[in-house]
Amino acid sequence: MDTVFGRIIKGELPCDKVYETDEIIAFKDINPKAPVHILIMPKKAIPNLQSMGEQDLGLMGKLVVAAQEIALDMGVADNYRLLTNNGPKAGQSVFHLHFHLLGGKILGDLD
Ligand code: 5GP
């Protein structure tokens, strides 16, 4: 099923892109919850973290490296949180795997 992120990846919708490789794209969240709020995701359409498999182990490492590089670029390498919402009850609203990189302020407790 196509999602809004699938359409951004295909270039059908605009985004404020901060990072891209052949497998990964990252762009600013449209409704930022922190001074730095970047969405990092594979271009491959994987619905969420729980849908990843053994075949995606390399991709997971690349997503983490992307997060490190983006945090450095954004000047928040010592002040960020990387998270993913898995499933509607965890707050997932777009069913294309993505990680939120939040930073640039004092981050509060998680629920
Ligand atoms: P989720 O709730 O699935 O963990 O996160 C979805 C995130 O995508 C939300 O933080 C929301 O603000 C962001 N978002 C939804 N639609 C768009 C869009 O069209 N463009 C961008 N840049 N972010 C979006």
Side-chain angles (χ1 to χ4, degrees), residues 5-110:
F5 295 163
R7 296 192 63 200
I8 287 172
I9 290 162
K10 280 194 249 172
E12 295 173 1
L13 293 173
C15 71
D16 198 342
K17 187 166 36 181
V18 300
Y19 180 97
E20 185 170 24
T21 68
D22 55 340
E23 291 181 273
I24 293 169
I25 189 168
F27 48 85
K28 294 184 181 177
D29 195 292
I30 205 167
N31 182 23
K33 300 289 196 294
V36 173
H37 187 170
I38 307 297
L39 301 172
I40 307 168
M41 65 195 71
K43 292 182 177 177
K44 179 181 173 184
I46 301 170
N48 57 26
L49 188 70
Q50 199 62 22
S51 311
M52 293 189 97
E54 290 277 332
Q55 68 281 5
D56 300 312
L57 284 174
L59 183 59
M60 180 57 86
K62 290 174 188 175
L63 287 162
V64 171
V65 169
Q68 292 175 328
E69 290 185 16
I70 292 163
L72 278 171
D73 284 350
M74 297 281 156
V76 297
D78 64 345
N79 172 207
Y80 72 90
R81 176 176 290 156
L82 186 67
L83 64 87
T84 188
N85 296 320
N86 188 88
K89 286 185 281 188
Q92 186 176 8
S93 60
V94 180
F95 290 82
H96 181 115
L97 173 67
H98 54 283
F99 290 88
H100 297 256
L101 189 156
L102 296 146
K105 70 171 188 178
I106 303 292
L107 296 164
D109 289 342
L110 292 171

